[in-house]
Amino acid sequence: VVIQQASFSASSSPLPVVSSIVNNASYVGVISPGSLFTIFASNLASSTATFSAPFPTSYEGTTVSIDINNTPCPLLFVSPGQINAQAPMNTPIGSSVQLDIFVNGLFSPGFVTVVPASPGIFMLSDGEDHAIVQHSNGSLVTASSPAQAGEPVVFYGTGIGPTLPALATNQKAGRQPNLSIATSPVVIKIN
C-alpha cells in the first residue's frame, strides 16, 4: 500500500463572503428571471469595473452562475464589495435558488428567492427617494421641471417578468417601435 500526502497551497485571495443578494433597483431580497440583481459581499474582486452590453460573464477570475442549471450571469459591475448582474432568463422560479460565486477559484454560495416578477424602479441617489423619470425629450423631471398631467414620461426599472416579444439573457430591451411589453398586468401609482 502506497500512501501519498496531498499538498495544498494557500490561495492569495481571501474567500468571498456574501452578506445579501437583492433586486438592483428596489433592494428587496427577491429577483426574477431576466432581472438585474446586486450581490453585496466582501472579497469579490481586486479592482472595480463597469461594463457595456453585451456584458461579460467573467471578470479577472470573478464569475456568478445559477447553481441548478450552471448558467453564467452577465456582469454589469464588479468591485471588491459589490457585483451587479443579470439573472439568466432560464433562472428557475422557486423559494430559494443558489448562486455560485467564484473568485479566483474560490467558491462561495449565495441564496435568493426567485419569483415570476420582482419590479423595482431605479431611483436618484439624491437622498430624497426620487425615481429617475424623464420627459419625452430626455431631460429629467424635477421640482423645477415637473411633468404635466397627461404628459408621457419615461422611467427605468427591472424585474417586470415575462415580455412579448421575449428577451434573451444579455439582450438590451428594445426602443420604439420594437418595445417588449410585459405580459402581466402593470399598475403604476404616483404618490
Side-chain angles (χ1 to χ4, degrees), residues 86-172:
Q86 181 192 24
M89 297 306 269
N90 65 344
T91 300
I93 295 168
S95 58
S96 184
V97 173
Q98 180 176 318
L99 293 178
D100 293 339
I101 302 149
F102 288 92
V103 179
N104 297 320
L106 297 174
F107 165 78
S108 186
F111 297 90
V112 66
T113 299
V114 180
V115 295
S118 59
I121 297 174
F122 289 102
M123 308 294 279
L124 290 169
S125 57
D126 61 0
E128 298 289 328
D129 288 334
H130 294 128
I132 300 171
V133 181
Q134 295 176 318
H135 297 281
S136 57
N137 67 4
S139 65
L140 278 177
V141 171
T142 63
S144 61
S145 178
Q148 302 301 310
E151 174 189 1
V153 294
V154 175
F155 65 92
Y156 301 90
T158 188
I160 64 168
T163 61
L164 193 62
L167 294 169
T169 300
N170 212 348
Q171 179 184 359
K172 290 171 65 172

Side-chain angles (χ1 to χ4, degrees), residues 10 20 24 52 76 81 86 126 141 155 159 173 183 190:
S20 64
N24 186 247
S52 298
L76 287 74
Q86 181 192 24
D126 61 0
V141 171
F155 65 92
T183 60
I190 299 174

Side-chain angles (χ1 to χ4, degrees), residues 20-118:
S20 64
I21 301 171
V22 295
N23 176 298
N24 186 247
S26 68
Y27 290 100
V28 173
V30 296
I31 66 171
S32 58
S35 69
L36 302 180
F37 66 92
T38 298
I39 299 168
F40 291 109
S42 59
N43 310 316
L44 291 173
S46 59
S47 62
T48 298
T50 302
F51 307 103
S52 298
F55 301 105
T57 55
S58 78
Y59 171 70
E60 293 186 352
T62 299
T63 62
V64 177
S65 63
I66 302 296
D67 178 65
I68 198 163
N69 53 22
N70 201 29
T71 303
C73 299
L75 304 174
L76 287 74
F77 173 82
V78 176
S79 74
Q82 179 178 335
I83 292 175
N84 295 345
Q86 181 192 24
M89 297 306 269
N90 65 344
T91 300
I93 295 168
S95 58
S96 184
V97 173
Q98 180 176 318
L99 293 178
D100 293 339
I101 302 149
F102 288 92
V103 179
N104 297 320
L106 297 174
F107 165 78
S108 186
F111 297 90
V112 66
T113 299
V114 180
V115 295
S118 59

